[in-house]
Amino acid sequence: MEQPNYLDYCTDDIEELYSKLQDSVLKTVVKRIIKYGEVTPSAWNDIKILQESGMVYDDVLDIVSEFTQLSQSAVQEMFTAAKVENIKYDNEIYKAAGMQPLKENGSPAVNQIVRGAINKTNGNLKNLTMTTARAAQDKFIDACSIAEMEINTGAYDVNTAIRHAVEFAIQDGANVYYYNDEEDGTIVTAKRNIVSAVRTAVLTGVSQTTGEISLENAKKMGTDLMELSAHIGARPSHSVWQGKIVCFSRRKTKYLTLADIGYGEIDGFKGINCRHYWFPFIEGVSTRTYTDEQLEEMNNATVNYNGNEIPVYVATQKQRKMERQIRFERSQLVSYDTAIKEAKQNGNTELADDLQINFDNIATKLKAHESMYKEYCNQTGLPVLSERLQYPAFNRSVSQKAVHSVKRVFNDAKGIINPEIMPKTVEEFTKVCYNPQGKMLEELSSLSFEKAKQINSLYNERVIRFWYDHHNKGIKAQLDTSVSLESQARQACALRNQYKSQARALMLDREKAKGLNEGKEKIKPFEFYYNKYKKDGLSDDDVYRLIIDASKRTRQSVNKKYGVTE
């Protein structure tokens, strides 16, 4: 009998709805940032930022309110459909056992379960989305604070600073907050992308509800046995019980108990993101779907990837990670498309052109990741799950723009990278440049910042580290040895700080770059190093020599992480 697959598609409508909500929230934040960028830099201050952030908060609250009714309708339809599908499946088993089938619209007890689940899920979603307004407000404040700092310190011009602020805002999409449940519950303990959070909440809710329906119906039909579903690639803690029989009354000791499968636990059967289900098992009539031998083979299954045998669970987790990355990049392209349009509508073509570079970079990364995903599935034999790659707002228009962008980056790279090592086709280019090695890595490491920025998509954190190390090693050769030792030390420190700042400007993860610039790794002036070495009682000249020598060195622990060698 075909097993139910409603968990594979039941959240599609709600995910599409909340993807639109995310896009609306990001559009609101980006519009405010660009509008804020039109203010004279001298008028930039914390009070102005807070005033604008209040408007962001109010705007997002209005957006959330508009989506609430749509969300409630979608949740009701989803749970009702899941109820019917679940009863239909169980009825096939009851009919095969010669028992009277259940009503597909559900008994009063079943419908009470469904109503309770709908109310609980709507409440959870409302609580989550209401935090989106505060999360958007915080993101706006942080983004504008970055721009304010970069402009006031003279590190960047206004347009570049605004672009960095937009990058930061778009970086991880629209978020929801999770609060502590102690005292007044206002401390944020975690944040998560809104679409991901909603999907987890709804999928888990549907799964748990259908499980309760099957259990309630089994009690009504006079059976206390349930068979657990099984699938290749189950998480290790679930593989020990999948495919086996559970006795929920505990009267038949040869079977598993609810405690054995962790029923009701966050990481057990029907816990968060658990896709297992159960169905009635009629003793003396039903036959187990899988024998113990088949289950053992299923649990020990492996796939081959790059010549290595890896467990299917590990392989599917890698696959899920690749799918999340592709969805994330598609969502970013949608947000940048919105930002570009907004900049053009405000007459800021220079900012629009700068943001187009970001769009081009991410489009190139997306192309590489899509190719890698197909190759990974081809090698491992895992199915290409196109539905897991979809981001609803990534429509035909944005998709076509992404294709044109990749071609544009390819053509730009042809004018920058040595023709002898430059790939000949777009597809070869995206594959080679996603994880450059050998001569390509050397080439990218040696480019000037201005050229590197034009093909920024090729600079992941590993390549940026090689680039930074390469340029730092060349500092000593750039010093003007005709001036005093102190002047040379100041030159060396300035060059090191310049390369460090540029390396961070190449980072597409703007939140991480912000953390580096504001944390203990923030860029330090010449006086910091002078005072640091002077504490050891060294002469001025010895201190200057130390500063010059240190300027060409990079931290070995970080170099080791990325494979940079002396």
Side-chain angles (χ1 to χ4, degrees):
M1 182 170 59
E2 185 180 358
Q3 298 179 341
N5 62 349
Y6 47 76
L7 290 181
D8 293 337
Y9 60 79
C10 70
T11 63
D12 288 355
D13 289 346
I14 202 84
E15 284 186 68
E16 180 172 359
L17 179 63
Y18 279 88
S19 294
K20 291 178 180 177
L21 173 58
Q22 169 170 255
D23 296 334
S24 296
V25 170
L26 288 178
K27 183 176 182 180
T28 298
V29 174
V30 167
K31 284 176 66 174
R32 289 285 178 184
I33 290 173
I34 293 175
K35 179 181 177 182
Y36 188 59
E38 297 172 359
V39 179
T40 306
S42 60
W44 286 45
N45 55 62
D46 291 341
I47 294 176
K48 179 65 177 174
I49 292 175
L50 288 174
Q51 287 174 341
E52 290 286 337
S53 74
M55 297 178 187
V56 170
Y57 184 86
D58 291 341
D59 288 347
V60 174
L61 274 185
D62 290 341
I63 292 170
V64 169
S65 297
E66 290 177 11
F67 275 83
T68 298
Q69 187 60 47
L70 294 173
S71 172
Q72 290 175 351
S73 298
V75 166
Q76 181 161 342
E77 290 177 9
M78 177 176 52
F79 275 85
T80 302
K83 174 192 71 173
V84 173
E85 289 285 328
N86 191 79
I87 293 175
K88 278 183 179 179
Y89 183 79
D90 287 356
N91 270 343
E92 292 297 315
I93 298 172
Y94 291 130
K95 284 190 286 187
M99 303 169 75
Q100 183 68 30
L102 300 157
K103 292 181 180 179
E104 290 183 0
N105 61 353
S107 66
V110 163
N111 288 327
Q112 185 174 346
I113 290 172
V114 174
R115 282 195 298 272
I118 290 172
N119 291 336
K120 180 181 178 182
T121 301
N122 280 330
N124 288 339
L125 295 185
K126 182 178 180 180
N127 290 338
L128 281 175
T129 53
M130 289 305 289
T131 70
T132 302
R134 178 181 165 186
Q137 182 181 39
D138 290 348
K139 177 172 284 192
F140 176 83
I141 292 172
D142 288 344
C144 288
S145 296
I146 291 172
E148 180 186 14
M149 178 187 69
E150 291 182 344
I151 291 171
N152 290 342
T153 59
Y156 298 99
D157 59 52
V158 173
N159 267 342
T160 303
I162 291 299
R163 190 184 83 193
H164 286 170
V166 171
E167 289 171 356
F168 178 82
I170 290 174
Q171 178 62 37
D172 56 356
N175 295 319
V176 296
Y177 280 161
Y178 295 89
Y179 297 102
N180 66 322
D181 54 5
E182 300 174 3
E183 298 177 358
D184 59 355
T186 58
I187 299 174
V188 177
T189 57
K191 70 175 182 178
R192 190 175 179 186
N193 176 270
I194 188 171
V195 180
S196 175
V198 166
R199 184 179 191 278
T200 297
V202 172
L203 190 62
T204 301
V206 170
S207 177
Q208 291 175 346
T209 302
T210 54
E212 287 184 56
I213 291 172
S214 287
L215 188 61
E216 174 63 29
N217 285 336
K219 292 175 181 177
K220 181 178 179 180
M221 300 297 283
T223 180
D224 60 356
L225 299 179
M226 304 294 284
E227 182 178 348
L228 300 165
S229 66
H231 59 83
I232 293 176
R235 69 185 85 167
S237 60
H238 288 199
S239 65
V240 296
W241 47 252
Q242 70 168 352
K244 297 183 179 180
I245 309 300
V246 180
C247 178
F248 57 81
S249 70
R250 304 187 66 172
R251 291 173 185 161
K252 303 177 179 71
T253 56
K254 66 178 181 178
Y255 298 119
L256 297 175
T257 66
L258 296 180
D260 291 332
I261 63 174
Y263 186 57
E265 301 294 328
I266 193 171
D267 56 351
F269 175 65
K270 293 297 180 183
I272 291 180
N273 286 332
C274 176
R275 301 179 69 82
H276 285 99
Y277 55 92
W278 57 9
F279 44 89
F281 184 86
I282 314 300
E283 201 166 28
V285 177
S286 300
T287 301
R288 279 177 59 186
T289 306
Y290 302 103
T291 65
D292 289 341
E293 291 74 19
Q294 288 173 321
L295 288 173
E296 184 176 1
E297 183 179 345
M298 186 182 292
N299 293 336
N300 293 326
T302 61
V303 296
N304 187 284
Y305 180 59
N306 287 341
N308 298 314
E309 292 293 324
I310 57 176
V312 173
Y313 174 73
V314 174
T316 54
Q317 290 304 295
K318 180 177 175 64
Q319 185 184 25
R320 295 294 89 77
K321 183 177 180 180
M322 296 172 80
E323 290 159 355
R324 287 193 297 271
Q325 183 65 32
I326 289 172
R327 288 198 304 271
F328 170 64
E329 285 164 356
R330 288 180 171 181
S331 72
Q332 282 194 308
L333 289 176
V334 171
S335 297
Y336 274 113
D337 186 52
T338 297
I340 292 166
K341 291 175 181 176
E342 195 62 33
K344 288 179 178 178
Q345 287 176 5
N346 280 270
N348 194 337
T349 55
E350 184 180 350
L351 177 58
D353 290 342
D354 286 344
L355 292 171
Q356 184 64 51
I357 293 174
N358 290 72
F359 185 97
D360 294 349
N361 292 339
I362 295 169
T364 307
K365 285 178 65 179
L366 174 63
K367 176 67 175 177
H369 286 143
E370 288 174 342
S371 296
M372 289 174 64
Y373 178 76
K374 290 177 182 177
E375 175 61 24
Y376 180 78
C377 291
N378 184 51
Q379 276 199 48
T380 59
L382 295 173
V384 173
L385 301 174
S386 300
E387 68 277 6
R388 285 183 172 269
L389 306 179
Q390 301 305 316
Y391 184 76
F394 186 75
N395 54 30
R396 184 181 181 87
S397 173
V398 181
S399 177
Q400 288 179 336
K401 289 176 184 177
V403 171
H404 293 313
S405 287
V406 174
K407 292 179 181 177
R408 183 163 48 246
V409 173
F410 174 68
N411 290 328
D412 288 344
K414 285 198 294 187
I416 294 172
I417 295 174
N418 185 335
E420 294 182 5
I421 62 173
M422 178 67 191
K424 303 304 179 186
T425 67
V426 172
E427 190 158 352
E428 289 175 358
F429 171 71
T430 55
K431 285 183 178 179
V432 169
C433 293
Y434 173 74
N435 187 27
Q437 306 286 343
K439 291 184 178 180
M440 178 62 78
L441 182 58
E442 291 177 13
E443 176 81 359
L444 294 175
S445 301
S446 64
L447 292 178
S448 67
F449 171 71
E450 289 72 21
K451 288 185 176 180
K453 196 63 183 170
Q454 292 179 54
I455 49 175
N456 202 164
S457 59
L458 312 186
Y459 285 79
N460 57 32
E461 289 188 16
R462 173 174 165 271
V463 178
I464 291 172
R465 190 65 189 181
F466 272 86
W467 182 92
Y468 178 59
D469 183 71
H470 173 87
H471 284 76
N472 267 20
K473 286 176 179 175
I475 286 177
K476 199 167 184 179
Q478 298 181 63
L479 302 181
D480 182 357
T481 55
S482 67
V483 298
S484 67
L485 202 57
E486 177 184 357
S487 295
Q488 293 181 53
R490 288 183 178 277
Q491 288 176 37
C493 184
L495 283 169
R496 181 188 178 94
N497 286 345
Q498 174 187 320
Y499 295 139
K500 186 176 291 188
S501 175
Q502 290 174 341
R504 292 172 183 177
L506 289 172
M507 293 173 64
L508 290 176
D509 188 340
R510 298 314 305 165
E511 189 161 5
K512 187 171 184 178
K514 175 178 181 288
L516 290 172
N517 285 327
E518 295 182 357
K520 64 179 182 179
E521 299 298 328
K522 66 182 179 182
I523 294 173
K524 301 173 181 67
F526 170 82
E527 288 71 24
F528 171 86
Y529 297 102
Y530 176 83
N531 293 330
K532 175 183 176 181
Y533 296 130
K534 194 65 177 174
K535 287 179 182 178
D536 297 330
L538 300 175
S539 67
D540 281 354
D541 282 355
D542 284 340
V543 168
Y544 300 146
R545 291 189 185 94
L546 271 177
I547 291 174
I548 292 171
D549 187 56
S551 68
K552 61 184 179 64
R553 294 197 306 269
T554 50
R555 187 172 300 171
Q556 291 306 303
S557 60
V558 181
N559 288 345
K560 184 177 180 180
K561 175 183 176 182
Y562 292 109
V564 178
T565 56
E566 290 294 330

